[in-house]
Amino acid sequence: MCEKIEYRLATENDLDEICVLIKAAISEMDRQKIFQWDEIYPAREDFLSDIKSKSLFAGLIDCGNQKRIAVIYALNKECDDEYKNGEWKSDGEWRVVHRLCVHPDFQNRGIAKATLSHIEKEVLSLGVKSLRLDVFSQNPHSLKLYEHSGYYKTGETSWRKGLFYLMEKVLEEKTLYVTDLDGTLLNRHDSVNPFSIQTINSLVEKGMLFTYATARSLVSASKVTNGLSTKIPIIAYNGTFIFQPSTGEILSEEGFTDEERKYVRDVLTEHKISPLVYSFVEGIEKVSWIPKFENDGIRRYLSVRKGDKRFRSVDNDDSLYEGKMFYFTCIGEKDELERVYEIFSKDSRYRCTMQQELYRPEYWCEIMPTLATKSNAIKKLKKMWGCTKVISFGDAINDIPMFEISDECYAVSNAVDGLKKIATGIIESNEDDGVAKWLLNRVGGKL
């Protein structure tokens, strides 16, 4: 059985054998109704040109009494203008893989995957940061090969044979793992299971870049994630702030103008809604509310956060709306909050979300600056840490923007259907350590 592959530059003496290999591969693809190549392309002249430019390589296998060319590939910086359609993630040095082909006699033996690994190792030594290629959309074998080898689709283009996908693999990939908290990492008791804490902390110690993005404050999030190690900044207040958790330092923030704050106050007053107001009063973070307007939802919010030093009860609207306000939370019945949601969700100066509280009857309507989104904050954090890829985890509709900017996104099994529909995959529930188990299986062996 053939085992070891010897790679070398192809020569003109190899041309006849290469053309036999290509003809055999085309016949096999035709048999499988994959009409990717034909007598027009790739042609003998293409390979001769590759040989003359020293960009064609052959992989030989010793089969006893002779060495046979089992695989060929071209590697250079040449690409068609259609490659401009790709949203390439790496702006460093790159190469393009062309015409990777395994002789049918040697297929289904892992040779193509081994050849990709060989190419990656070779170009890394030259300082190349990424590999690019195009793959025929109707070739399931090639698609599976490249996806399983870590290549990601960056665009599409059409050539004579049909639709092709442009793909890329960043060789020095740095991945940022981001999870939502409530309903995703936290269990129904507002805590992280011991298995998740132990697993994630172990992976973080080995170098995994892990953080969370939450609608909670830093104070609230730190309490419910007690024991969890995050060595990089965290995203709080739905993306309004990026904090350094160890010090509380604000690394990035989105805010309202004075005019926008006044408009929020006017609208809420008109609709007789008394919110929780998050603000900096004399430079200190506070959560203000008027006790006489408390309802069951607000009382529960306060009761599960007993001892929170941010709490500031006041007795009038002027005090309620004091300081540098950055976030408003309205808790109550769906009908009363829908009117406010309609106003702010249609105003481009604001971002407004409304959803039922997990495991509770009341609804929350939250008003924040228009750029205060988890997705916007993740993009900032990704840039801060020089990451090339984002993988996220969530459970609710407000996680959709985060999913949309992620390279991979996974919904816990308890997630809403709307999120599951756009997810890369479904993982186990928040109660069953879904995020931690996925990380252990997918990341654990790489660190």
Side-chain angles (χ1 to χ4, degrees):
M1 181 177 178
C2 305
E3 295 178 354
K4 187 177 180 181
I5 307 172
E6 173 190 336
Y7 297 97
R8 62 166 172 76
L9 277 171
T11 70
E12 290 191 33
N13 292 334
D14 297 320
L15 261 178
D16 288 341
E17 187 175 357
I18 288 171
C19 289
V20 170
L21 181 156
I22 292 299
K23 185 176 180 179
I26 291 174
S27 295
E28 178 61 21
M29 285 192 288
D30 287 348
R31 187 185 69 80
Q32 297 185 41
K33 301 188 184 304
I34 302 171
F35 304 111
Q36 176 178 342
W37 288 349
D38 55 22
E39 69 279 3
I40 298 176
Y41 178 87
R44 186 182 184 94
E45 291 74 19
D46 295 312
F47 297 113
L48 180 59
S49 177
D50 290 337
I51 289 171
K52 289 181 177 180
S53 65
K54 297 186 182 302
S55 61
L56 185 65
F57 297 83
L60 286 76
I61 289 181
D62 189 344
C63 295
N65 59 352
Q66 65 173 331
K67 287 186 177 181
R68 295 182 58 189
I69 296 177
V71 59
I72 61 167
Y73 66 90
L75 182 70
N76 52 43
K77 289 200 69 173
E78 298 175 9
C79 58
D80 293 330
D81 289 340
E82 286 81 355
Y83 268 57
K84 294 176 182 177
N85 296 336
E87 294 182 359
W88 308 107
K89 298 185 182 303
S90 174
D91 55 4
E93 188 69 9
W94 50 270
R95 294 291 186 274
V96 183
V97 179
H98 303 277
R99 297 178 280 283
L100 172 61
C101 184
V102 177
H103 193 293
D105 288 351
F106 298 95
Q107 289 178 2
N108 302 313
R109 291 165 62 171
I111 290 174
K113 189 173 180 65
T115 300
L116 285 175
S117 297
H118 166 78
I119 295 171
E120 292 164 15
K121 182 178 179 180
E122 289 296 303
V123 299
L124 271 173
S125 67
L126 301 174
V128 173
K129 304 299 183 185
S130 70
L131 287 171
R132 302 176 181 181
L133 52 84
D134 56 79
V135 57
F136 188 44
S137 63
Q138 299 303 309
N139 189 331
H141 308 300
S142 292
L143 287 170
K144 182 178 180 180
L145 166 68
Y146 293 125
E147 289 171 353
H148 285 195
S149 298
Y151 288 75
Y152 292 87
K153 180 181 172 185
T154 65
E156 299 178 354
T157 191
S158 293
W159 281 304
R160 181 173 60 92
K161 285 291 187 175
L163 180 66
F164 285 72
Y165 297 147
L166 303 176
M167 303 188 79
E168 179 185 37
K169 180 173 183 177
V170 178
L171 301 180
E172 293 187 345
E173 196 167 73
K174 197 173 180 182
T175 302
L176 174 63
Y177 297 93
V178 187
T179 183
D180 170 57
L181 287 185
D182 293 82
T184 304
L185 187 64
L186 300 183
N187 57 34
R188 63 171 53 246
H189 302 294
D190 286 347
S191 63
V192 184
N193 290 340
F195 173 83
S196 289
I197 291 177
Q198 181 181 354
T199 300
I200 292 171
N201 286 355
S202 175
L203 294 173
V204 168
E205 284 300 315
K206 294 177 181 178
M208 179 179 70
L209 295 178
F210 174 84
T211 191
Y212 55 78
T214 179
R216 290 175 178 264
S217 67
L218 175 61
V219 172
S220 174
S222 298
K223 181 179 179 181
V224 296
T225 59
N226 183 41
L228 189 68
S229 173
T230 53
K231 294 190 174 182
I232 64 174
I234 63 95
I235 296 164
Y237 289 114
N238 267 325
T240 303
F241 294 102
I242 298 178
F243 288 104
Q244 181 61 50
S246 59
T247 63
E249 178 187 2
I250 297 173
L251 303 180
S252 176
E253 65 179 295
E254 301 294 343
F256 295 114
T257 65
D258 289 340
E259 180 182 349
E260 290 164 355
R261 293 185 184 99
K262 181 179 182 304
Y263 183 66
V264 173
R265 174 178 178 172
D266 291 344
V267 170
L268 296 183
T269 299
E270 178 185 350
H271 287 83
K272 296 181 172 54
I273 292 176
S274 185
L276 295 162
V277 179
Y278 301 79
S279 61
F280 286 98
V281 180
E282 297 181 353
I284 300 173
E285 185 183 350
K286 294 294 181 183
V287 181
S288 304
W289 84 102
I290 300 177
K292 69 179 179 180
F293 295 126
E294 288 178 9
N295 55 31
D296 288 342
I298 292 177
R299 278 190 285 272
R300 181 182 182 278
Y301 171 91
L302 298 171
S303 68
V304 298
R305 294 166 174 80
K306 286 182 179 179
D308 193 325
K309 295 180 180 180
R310 298 171 303 148
F311 284 170
R312 172 177 175 262
S313 64
V314 297
D315 58 11
N316 62 77
D317 280 356
D318 286 340
S319 297
L320 179 65
Y321 293 103
E322 185 180 4
K324 184 181 177 182
M325 297 170 281
F326 59 84
Y327 203 93
F328 302 87
T329 296
C330 309
I331 303 176
E333 298 291 330
K334 181 179 180 180
D335 291 344
E336 66 175 332
L337 297 181
E338 276 184 330
R339 295 170 296 171
V340 170
Y341 173 74
E342 283 293 317
I343 293 171
F344 288 107
S345 63
K346 294 177 181 178
D347 192 322
S348 62
R349 298 173 298 171
Y350 305 92
R351 193 171 79 85
C352 186
T353 64
M354 180 172 161
Q355 60 185 357
Q356 189 173 7
E357 173 72 333
L358 273 175
Y359 321 121
R360 296 283 301 174
E362 65 267 9
Y363 279 74
W364 286 41
C365 178
E366 297 173 285
I367 306 161
M368 61 210 87
T370 187
L371 293 178
T373 65
K374 290 181 181 179
S375 58
N376 188 44
I378 289 170
K379 288 178 182 178
K380 290 182 182 179
L381 196 54
K382 178 183 177 183
K383 186 174 182 180
M384 283 181 194
W385 283 83
C387 295
T388 56
K389 182 178 179 181
V390 173
I391 295 180
S392 61
F393 308 89
D395 74 301
I397 290 297
N398 68 341
D399 292 320
I400 288 179
M402 175 172 73
F403 273 32
E404 290 175 340
I405 58 96
S406 297
D407 297 276
E408 295 179 39
C409 46
Y410 296 89
V412 286
S413 62
N414 53 287
V416 297
D417 289 340
L419 194 70
K420 290 180 178 179
K421 288 179 181 177
I422 66 169
T424 304
I426 311 301
I427 62 175
E428 292 187 49
S429 73
N430 60 328
E431 297 293 332
D432 296 318
D433 302 285
V435 172
K437 288 178 180 177
W438 187 96
L439 291 169
L440 182 61
N441 291 333
R442 278 285 298 272
V443 185
K446 298 179 182 180
L447 298 175

